[in-house]
Amino acid sequence: MTKSIEFNLDKMEVELVGPKAFYKLLTSEGHVVMNDFIGQDFRIYSHKEINCCNCGKKTAKSYSGGYCYPCSLKLAECDMCILKPELCHFDKGTCRQPDWGLTNCMIPHYVYLANSSGLKVGITRTSQIPTRWIDQGAVAALPILQVGTRYLSGVVEKLLSSEINDKTDWRKMLKGEPEEIDLQEKRDEFFELFGEDLDDIENKYGSDKISILESELVTHIDYPVQVYPDKVTSLSLEKNEFVGGKLVGIKGQYLIFDTGVINIRGQTGHKVHLEY
Ligand SMILES: [Zn+2]
């Protein structure tokens, strides 16, 4: 049994090697490759303390997924427009952190189709591919549009979400492989369906701000899962002294134990130590 030094939990780092998803936890002693523990006992012990992932200060409660309350009010990355990019207000001069907005939002984004718990539409910075897809537990994904800003990606996503889901049903995603979907065929259908609307967006914002991607290839992603649970029991560090058991799989940002599942990203900032 190895016991790690305590550290603040952060989302798992992900990497795609061929079609295979690899997961690493960054601890105070370096990276722990989580794929190596599939089929083995693994425990995460809670120290019942949350530290803000921005300023490091102790916080009784986690806001915006791992921040203290003051940081959640001050940081652009905690603003409502991050969840709803069509509400981006950079152009009004009211971005909470214009420099952050410039480097994170006023840059090219992709609109993509993915199969996570079924067909969905999503958006991401171009640099976040394939990270974003792995974080969502998608088994396949396809960029369909490139747009100039986060705001425009939100405008297009909102348009497409009148016909397609823009959320993943995480319980369904964790219960097994979704039915196969031909994403290229779906893309062609949506281009046909929304052709006029996309033309309108192009006319309004400029043809240099939106490119239709007609010949991208589908990325397929295999997750290290031995057994999918029949029933998804959600575990958290708030409620338990430790979370763990036999690690039977990893998908999205979830560790799947024989005792239940835990969303590691949702536990950002929790002080923990590991035993394995
Ligand atoms: Zn803070």
Side-chain angles (χ1 to χ4, degrees), residues 64-78:
S64 297
Y67 298 86
C68 68
Y69 188 61
C71 283
S72 78
L73 291 181
K74 161 179 97 186
L75 296 175
E77 66 206 69
C78 300

Side-chain angles (χ1 to χ4, degrees), residues 2-43:
T2 304
K3 188 178 166 195
S4 81
I5 301 172
E6 63 190 35
F7 65 100
N8 292 326
L9 209 52
D10 200 353
K11 76 176 275 262
M12 290 183 279
E13 292 175 18
V14 299
E15 193 186 353
L16 198 59
V17 181
K20 288 190 188 306
F22 281 84
Y23 288 89
K24 285 183 220 165
L25 263 184
L26 180 59
T27 75
S28 46
E29 297 152 289
H31 283 101
V32 172
V33 180
M34 293 307 296
N35 296 55
D36 294 347
F37 295 98
I38 301 287
Q40 297 180 34
D41 282 322
F42 194 96
R43 286 181 178 186

